[in-house]
Amino acid sequence: MGLIHASVVSLLPLLPRPVMRFLSRRYIAGETLEAALGRLQGLAAEGYAGILDILGENVVDEATAREVIGDYREAADAIAELGLEAYVSVKPTHVGLLLSEDLAHDLYLELARHCAELGVFVRVEMEDHTTTDATLRVFERLRGEVENVGIVLQSRLFRTPSDIDALGAGTLSVRMVKGVYLEPAAIAHTEAEPIRRAFCDCARQLFRRGARVSFATHDELLGRELIEICREEGVGTDRYEFQVLLGVCERLWREWRTTGHPVRVYVPFGPEWRAYSTRRLRKNPQILQHVMKDLLRRR
Ligand code: FAD
């Protein structure tokens, strides 16, 4: 961690709530489901599909994990009721993976069955490398039981091409990301260009095994390469989309959308926004750089 970043991060807990809220308001819809639904409706009016994410991770008691699933069920109900083109995205450690793999599986299954009745999709997110094996095992079990589930894979990790090969046959939906967790050099690419190359290679590998792929990125150059890969592989808009974070690089979303590429926006919300934002900033200095650059640009 650089000295400036370390100093800023150490000050974060001292920042008054309104200041932290100001720093994160572009990226986080608010504290309530209503606030998030309002954002989704606004985005829908502009032609964007959505993803709802309730902020939180590393839950270590079962009652909380069950409450989280209750909140996600409510979010899925609202998506269906409002007829929104949106789905829910859930972190494994938010629903008990750190407590027990079986618990996380059972809670995902409960949610996915509820969502299946509503026609809502569920994305299993990917966290740091210490959880990758368990997350993939939970996902593979779920895939054998329900159809409305997908996974996230990180191009940063050396293991990802083998993980793609190891996934069982059948319908497969993958959100491809670079990976937000900075991983050790022994197991992961650490430089931008190899991470980008690996992203393209994984996308091609996934298309060749018939998967539907969501490109979750704001990297314009990478986006151009991915569009070219879709063309080369003969993949249409029924098999790919771009996914972006609320408040990040909106110019790029507009460009993709107006040139015919589907774009889905990730809308995080929930009372845990402060703890979540602080943890994320602490883990990955680049996020802080992005936020500061963005604020300065706006000034
Ligand atoms: P970068 O090269 O990091 O960024 C490109 C440009 O985008 C930067 O120059 C900057 O201007 C802008 N930018 C990027 N991120 C931010 C930001 N946070 N704030 C402000 N500006 C920014 N990672 C996981 O490990 N697991 C997941 O489950 C997961 N889900 C995701 C879901 C979605 C919809 C998205 C978009 C990302 C997700 N990520 C996830 C994060 C992802 O792994 C990357 O860390 C993140 O997208 C930044 O990488 P990039 O491809 O945009 O490229």
Side-chain angles (χ1 to χ4, degrees), residues 5-16:
H5 176 252
S7 321
V8 176
V9 161
S10 66
L11 289 175
L12 288 176
L14 306 176
L15 286 182

Side-chain angles (χ1 to χ4, degrees), residues 67-121:
E67 269 171 39
V68 170
I69 286 297
D71 292 344
Y72 269 110
R73 287 171 67 123
E74 204 185 316
D77 289 341
I79 287 173
E81 205 168 297
L82 295 171
L84 289 166
E85 170 50 50
Y87 65 73
V88 292
S89 200
V90 187
K91 286 191 176 40
T93 69
H94 204 190
V95 293
L97 190 76
L98 297 182
L99 279 169
S100 136
E101 213 172 297
D102 282 340
L103 175 68
H105 163 267
D106 294 351
L107 292 181
Y108 269 120
L109 185 60
E110 177 193 322
L111 177 65
R113 287 197 168 134
H114 180 77
C115 288
E117 284 175 18
L118 303 166
V120 173
F121 187 78

Side-chain angles (χ1 to χ4, degrees), residues 172-193:
L172 179 62
S173 168
V174 175
R175 174 195 298 155
M176 204 59 228
V177 299
K178 289 182 180 176
V180 75
Y181 307 91
L182 296 184
E183 304 286 11
I187 60 161
H189 303 289
T190 53
E191 300 294 326
E193 197 44 40

Side-chain angles (χ1 to χ4, degrees), residues 27 51 89 91 123-128 152 154 156 175 177-181 192 196 199 215-220 222 243-245 247-249 264-266 280 284 286-287 289-291 293-294 297:
Y27 310 100
I51 303 170
S89 200
K91 286 191 176 40
R123 177 78 60 191
V124 176
E125 298 203 343
M126 192 59 82
E127 300 178 80
D128 71 51
V152 178
Q154 300 158 326
R156 179 185 293 278
R175 174 195 298 155
V177 299
K178 289 182 180 176
V180 75
Y181 307 91
R196 197 183 276 133
F199 197 121
F215 308 132
T217 185
H218 320 86
D219 179 335
E220 191 164 6
L222 174 60
Q243 295 192 347
V244 290
L245 300 173
V248 176
C249 298
R264 189 179 288 273
V265 184
Y266 188 91
R280 275 294 177 87
N284 189 344
Q286 276 168 4
I287 297 178
Q289 282 168 21
H290 292 328
V291 175
K293 263 197 266 172
D294 189 51
R297 232 193 340 256

Side-chain angles (χ1 to χ4, degrees), residues 225-245:
E225 290 185 41
L226 292 166
I227 290 166
E228 183 56 23
I229 287 173
C230 290
R231 202 189 54 77
E232 285 169 12
E233 298 294 322
V235 166
T237 51
D238 56 328
R239 297 236 346 252
Y240 79 90
E241 67 183 7
F242 283 99
Q243 295 192 347
V244 290
L245 300 173

